[in-house]
Amino acid sequence: MTPASDAVDPAPVLVLDHLTRRYGSLTAVDDVALRLPPGARHAVIGPNGAGKTTLLNLIAGTDRPDRGTIALNGADVTRASTAKRSRLGIARSFQQPSVIGELTVLDNIVLAGWAHHPKRRGAWRSPSRYRLHTESAGRHLETVGLAHLAHRPASELSHGQRRMLDLAAALAGDPRLLLLDEPAAGLTDGDIGRLLDILGALPESVAVVLVEHHVEVVAQVATSVTVLAAGRVLVTGPTGEALAHPEVRDAYQNTAPVSGEAPDLVTGSAPDPVTRSPEARG
Ligand code: ATP
């Protein structure tokens, strides 16, 4: 199978080379290579314990590789701090959203925008900059469908809404690369539908790396997929090809599911992901 790439081969936004992370005798991420063009929609899937979250942690900088390199827009960020990576354009949305409940929904995003601003220390004292941040925060709330709740305390939001707020906070830094850690986990079918709309409407300038168990989300959002198994890349390629690869089914079938969240690829019993009906969702 050919690696995910564009015919014109634009300068990649993210390049991973020989990326390896060991925990004692366990190699959680094993010699992983990946090259993503700007605006990529790339999913990382694999059975429980395959190394997906570790890979995301390495890219975000919350964990460091034992071997290999990470380049963002041509700059080597392998040893860069999370703060520097964030300034260079990496943003991450978490499974457990980091929302400040005492602040309004809007101010959560204003704050996130400020945190990314190069002159953030003086920004509090500038009314014009506050207005700009507020306007931009309002746009991000519209993107994630929370504009009508802008002035409510964030503590009033449901789990699904908090996840959308966390996504808006990630977008507030105008990232070039957005890392999404199981964005559909714990969402209702309605929220997943909204999430799909939001992800479908993200600007093309933002590349997305998505770790996700819900195969229908992967099938609809991702144009390319890396399948990890025991830390190694089993397959990388266009989504349809990667999901249909016989080794992928084998890898899932040989792995006992840890959670009961019905990630169908884990059970190995899914029909074609592109044609799954909403009724079949777990
Ligand atoms: P899941 O789908 O269950 O979240 P995953 O594919 O995200 O799994 P990781 O969480 O990256 O997998 O874990 C990969 C392997 O590395 C697992 O065997 C896990 O137990 C191990 N591991 C992860 N973090 C650590 C750590 N800090 N110390 C020791 N082992 C770890």
Side-chain angles (χ1 to χ4, degrees), residues 21-24 26-29 45-57 63 95 181-182 211 213 228 231 258:
R21 177 65 167 114
R22 297 185 198 93
Y23 298 115
L26 174 86
T27 306
V29 169
I45 66 169
N48 295 117
K52 305 177 296 293
T53 301
T54 305
L55 184 65
L56 224 53
N57 290 342
D63 198 357
Q95 270 190 58
D181 192 359
E182 297 195 36
V211 166
H213 278 302
L228 289 181
V258 170

Side-chain angles (χ1 to χ4, degrees), residues 263-275:
D264 292 342
L265 277 172
V266 172
T267 66
S269 61
D272 181 341
V274 180
T275 59

Side-chain angles (χ1 to χ4, degrees), residues 13-14 36 59 72 89-92 175-179 205-209:
V13 63
L14 180 72
L36 294 184
I59 299 170
L72 181 72
I90 297 182
R92 183 173 185 178
R176 304 283 303 276
L177 176 64
L178 179 60
L179 307 175
S205 56
V206 184
V208 175
V209 174

